[in-house]
Amino acid sequence: QVQLVQSGAEVKKPGASVKISCKASGYTFTKYPLHWVRQAPGRGLEWMGWTNVDTDNTRYSQELQDRVTITRDTSATTAYMDLSGLRPEDTAVYYCAREGPRELGNGYDLWGQGTLVTVSS
Amino acid sequence: SFELTQSPSVSVSPGQTARITCSGDVLSTQYAYWYQKKAGQAPLLLIYKDRERNSGIPERFSGSSSGAVVTLTISEVRAEDEADYYCLSPDSSGIYVFGGGTKVTVL
């Protein structure tokens, strides 16, 4: 079954870090880039960054590039998103998404179920 | 970074047509992608490369492009189409940006 399964909800204090995992199954992990997207309560979707799973090259949004790190473990077919220096405004649902087959261009055809991160003192 | 601008909301009666626009200079040279987002669900890819409908998406969803503006059209709107809709585009350096989203309300 082709799917992305994310790790569970997290509660963190301001200033802490969080690391969310995204395990891929049912397809060749290194064939497709993985992106991370978040949505804060009452806000829109925000693109965070992506990794070329094959080469480990990454790109991050300007707004988050000083605090976000995306990595992957090809042997575990798992990608990770690490966000440091957490602030209350980082409270959001975080999604991983696969950039699909070439015919879809840069479209995300497969999504994780989302991980709620709550930042509160 | 660049910006994509969407109108915040659209209201439409069932059976009518909703048009959602997304504008930004990057769209003159890069494709746009449209996603539907409902509460409690992951986003769903509707349209890729400006106008190509994703597999399983009803024909009433269509996309078009003209210069720096892309449009998502929902024909014969149904109650189940009530959702938030987002455009997304990358720039040439591999940075992506979502539009601010458009809330579609079915009256």
Side-chain angles (χ1 to χ4, degrees):
Chain A
Q1 183 181 0
V2 178
Q3 59 181 356
L4 297 173
V5 178
Q6 298 181 220
S7 49
E10 302 263 12
V11 179
K12 296 291 184 180
K13 293 193 182 301
S17 297
V18 67
K19 189 170 186 175
I20 302 170
S21 66
C22 171
K23 180 166 176 61
S25 59
Y27 71 93
T28 302
F29 181 59
T30 53
K31 193 172 179 180
Y32 304 100
L34 273 176
H35 294 242
W36 289 86
V37 173
R38 71 178 181 177
Q39 184 173 37
R43 304 291 297 272
L45 298 175
E46 179 183 8
W47 181 80
M48 301 179 68
W50 69 283
T51 178
N52 180 321
V53 177
D54 187 32
T55 66
D56 203 23
N57 285 340
T58 54
R59 294 284 281 162
Y60 303 119
S61 76
Q62 281 191 333
E63 291 74 19
L64 294 172
Q65 63 182 356
D66 293 336
R67 299 195 293 132
V68 66
T69 304
I70 297 172
T71 57
R72 92 284 191 257
D73 180 343
T74 55
S75 64
T77 66
T78 301
Y80 304 90
M81 189 287 297
D82 195 315
L83 187 62
S84 62
L86 288 170
R87 309 159 182 167
E89 53 265 38
D90 292 318
T91 294
V93 177
Y94 290 75
Y95 296 97
C96 59
R98 185 183 81 167
E99 186 177 316
R102 190 174 299 274
E103 55 265 31
L104 295 184
N106 302 114
Y108 306 157
D109 69 334
L110 183 66
W111 293 74
Q113 81 277 20
T115 297
L116 174 63
V117 175
T118 302
V119 182
S120 174
S121 54
Chain B
S1 62
F2 62 98
E3 291 185 354
L4 297 176
T5 301
Q6 297 181 235
S7 52
S9 63
V10 168
S11 297
V12 60
S13 298
Q16 294 192 329
T17 297
R19 292 182 179 83
I20 303 164
T21 60
C22 172
S23 62
D25 291 341
V26 70
L27 299 177
S28 298
T29 57
Q30 300 291 331
Y31 286 125
Y33 300 79
W34 288 99
Y35 293 87
Q36 179 190 67
K37 179 68 170 71
K38 294 182 177 179
Q41 298 181 20
L44 174 67
L45 177 64
L46 299 175
I47 302 290
Y48 62 96
K49 293 183 185 178
D50 290 348
R51 63 185 67 246
E52 303 296 329
R53 193 180 308 108
N54 193 19
S55 174
I57 301 302
E59 290 185 7
R60 62 179 187 277
F61 290 91
S62 62
S64 61
S65 172
S66 178
V69 181
V70 294
T71 302
L72 173 69
T73 301
I74 312 173
S75 305
E76 300 178 356
V77 167
R78 300 182 180 184
E80 69 214 49
D81 299 331
E82 186 160 287
D84 296 324
Y85 293 83
Y86 294 88
C87 59
L88 173 70
S89 185
D91 69 9
S92 56
S93 71
I95 299 296
Y96 291 65
V97 167
F98 281 100
T102 299
K103 181 177 183 59
V104 171
T105 301
V106 181
L107 301 172

